[in-house]
Each structure stands twice: as C-alpha cells, then as structure tokens.
Amino acid sequence: LLLSSNFNVLFKANPNFSPLKRNRNDLPSAGIDSSVSQITLEQLESSRSIAISYWAMAGLPNGYLDFLNKIPIRMTSLTSSYLGLGSRDLILLDDDAGGMGWELLCEDNSAKNNKLVTVLMHEMGHALGLEDNYEDEDSLMHFELSDDELLVPEASMVDEVLRIWSI
C-alpha cells in the first residue's frame, strides 16, 4: 500500500499493522514519577528484555524469543490515540504514548508504571501473528490499553502462535 503526503513524499504502508489504542478516557496517573516523554535506547532495550521474559514465562520457545529480540522497534509520532503498531517486520511505538508519556516498569516489577512493557508485549503478539482481541478487556491482546495493570502473555497465546507458525 502506497500513501502520499501533502509534501509529495511517498510512504510504503504495511496493511498488516494492527494498532493498539489507548482508551480516550485515560488520564495521566498522578504521583507516578517514572512517566517519561522520551524513551532512551537503553530504556527501550531494557523494556524489550522484560517483555521477552514474560513471553518466555508463558512458554514461548527459544527460536521465537530470538525472533522477538531481533525485530526492529522504532519510536515515531503516531496518531494521537495509538500507542503502537506491530507486524512481523517492525514494531512502531508512539514517541510520547499518545501525549501521556511512557510509564516504565519499576525495579521491583510492581504492577504500576508498566505501560511500555505491556505495549511491547502486545505488539510482539502481533509480530508473532496474533490478532487483536475485542472481547476480553483483561487480555494482553485487547485492542485498547485502559489502565496501568500489567497484562502478560498466557500459555493459550503461545499455543495459538505455534499453531499459526506451523501452517
């Protein structure tokens, strides 16, 4: 799919990207001191490692974990309600989390300040072939992220990934 901008710039768009939206009713959490407007490469790679470790705990085999470790992740400006986009070739994350700032996982892995890790795990799910879940709001693959709860991959998601890749 080719798109053109107002400035005669031609973009190649991947129609397989699936956007993760934030709930428009979300408001930035008060009192969270780890909300950042810019993510460093070190923070991004640390968050990637944490996200991959959750996929490993769900039972994803090593070859798939290696794939997730190699997939390019880019920070860019997405439409205001999108936190991320994912496909097998690339993961895009909004540079400022839809204007709310990214929340990073705390040292103690508490269930607060984890939006970046949760979004990465969701987009990794798309890279692995999973589709958005429109039914279960507690699923990692739900199409909207509405709070700071840490959502993680489940064994059933790993089973689905293995089924998808065996076709």
Side-chain angles (χ1 to χ4, degrees):
L1 177 64
L2 297 176
L3 305 170
S4 177
S5 75
N6 292 339
F7 302 102
N8 295 324
V9 177
L10 192 62
F11 296 95
K12 182 177 179 184
N14 185 338
N16 297 319
F17 274 125
S18 182
L20 176 64
K21 294 182 175 184
R22 68 176 170 86
N23 185 320
R24 287 198 170 287
N25 296 325
D26 275 356
L27 296 174
S29 301
I32 294 177
D33 59 6
S34 62
S35 182
V36 294
S37 59
Q38 295 291 324
I39 299 295
T40 67
L41 181 58
E42 181 180 345
Q43 290 168 325
L44 182 60
E45 287 306 319
S46 173
S47 296
R48 178 203 297 258
S49 295
I50 294 167
I52 290 172
S53 71
Y54 280 109
W55 277 103
M57 286 188 278
L60 193 66
N62 286 338
Y64 297 90
L65 299 174
D66 292 341
F67 166 75
L68 293 177
N69 202 39
K70 293 176 184 169
I71 192 165
I73 301 173
R74 304 283 183 260
M75 303 297 288
T76 189
S77 181
L78 299 174
T79 305
S80 64
S81 64
Y82 293 126
L83 297 174
L85 298 167
S87 75
R88 287 191 180 186
D89 303 316
L90 178 66
I91 292 174
L92 297 174
L93 299 174
D94 188 57
D95 54 6
D96 67 355
M100 294 172 38
W102 284 107
E103 295 164 6
L104 304 176
L105 195 65
C106 294
E107 291 289 325
D108 63 357
N109 290 345
S110 65
K112 290 207 179 286
N113 307 344
N114 55 52
K115 193 168 284 175
L116 180 61
V117 171
T118 301
V119 171
L120 274 172
M121 287 187 289
H122 176 96
E123 299 308 338
M124 288 174 175
H126 287 305
L128 293 166
L130 298 177
E131 295 186 14
D132 282 322
N133 178 323
Y134 293 93
E135 307 293 320
D136 183 5
E137 292 181 12
D138 295 326
S139 170
L140 171 65
M141 295 310 296
H142 192 264
F143 76 104
E144 279 188 331
L145 181 63
S146 61
D147 57 31
D148 293 331
E149 181 181 358
L150 180 64
L151 301 173
V152 298
E154 299 171 2
S156 61
M157 292 175 184
V158 172
D159 291 343
E160 180 67 11
V161 167
L162 297 176
R163 186 194 66 73
I164 290 167
W165 284 66
S166 69
I167 295 176

